[in-house]
Amino acid sequence: MNPVLKNVLAVVAGVIIGSMVNMGIIMISGSIIPPPEGGDITTMEGLKSTMHLFEPKHFIFPFLAHALGTLVGAFVAAKIAAGKKMLMALLVGLFFLIGGTVNIAMLGGPMWFTALDIIVAYMPMGYLGYVLAKR
């Protein structure tokens, strides 16, 4: 297979699989840590209006979803890529960073979570995915 095509497919596969991990964690989060009383988290508008009710424990699963989704996606991309494996893993991290930044811009949230999410959950996890795939 053409190496460029294989690299593109590696990034696409990484994004898709990482997104599936992300959504899986988000889907189970409410059954492990229930949302705040009186909060509607089924829509973006409801989630935005409920954000002020969230306690730090409510941010654990969103962070895990972002970090583990990026980690798994970067790992997959680095495993599949024909070459430039670190670049492919970091491209997945960049994709999730852009998505996370847009999400934070739309929803808001506490500054500590925004900083933690942006600084730790994306590019470092993309690099860690590459390191794990390299072994």
Side-chain angles (χ1 to χ4, degrees):
M1 179 183 285
N2 180 337
V4 173
L5 179 60
K6 189 170 183 180
N7 285 348
V8 169
L9 291 175
V11 171
V12 170
V15 168
I16 290 170
I17 292 171
S19 295
M20 291 169 56
V21 169
N22 184 323
M23 281 310 299
I25 293 170
I26 293 296
M27 298 293 282
I28 65 165
S29 67
S31 62
I32 297 171
I33 299 176
E37 284 295 319
D40 171 28
I41 61 164
T42 59
T43 65
M44 285 298 265
E45 295 81 23
L47 187 56
K48 187 174 182 176
S49 67
T50 305
M51 193 65 66
H52 70 283
L53 300 174
F54 277 41
E55 299 172 31
K57 68 181 180 181
H58 294 112
F59 293 97
I60 293 170
F61 276 91
F63 174 78
L64 287 175
H66 300 165
L68 294 177
T70 303
L71 177 68
V72 170
F75 177 85
V76 167
K79 276 294 194 189
I80 295 173
K84 299 184 180 179
K85 292 178 181 282
M86 184 168 66
L87 176 61
M88 300 308 118
L90 291 176
L91 284 173
V92 171
L94 181 62
F95 176 86
F96 280 99
L97 173 63
I98 292 167
T101 303
V102 168
N103 196 24
I104 287 170
M106 289 185 332
L107 291 176
M111 186 56 71
W112 67 265
F113 176 73
T114 299
L116 178 68
D117 201 46
I118 295 295
I119 294 169
V120 178
Y122 303 110
M123 298 311 288
M125 290 298 126
Y127 180 74
L128 183 58
Y130 158 72
V131 169
L132 293 173
K134 192 171 67 165
R135 292 181 178 188

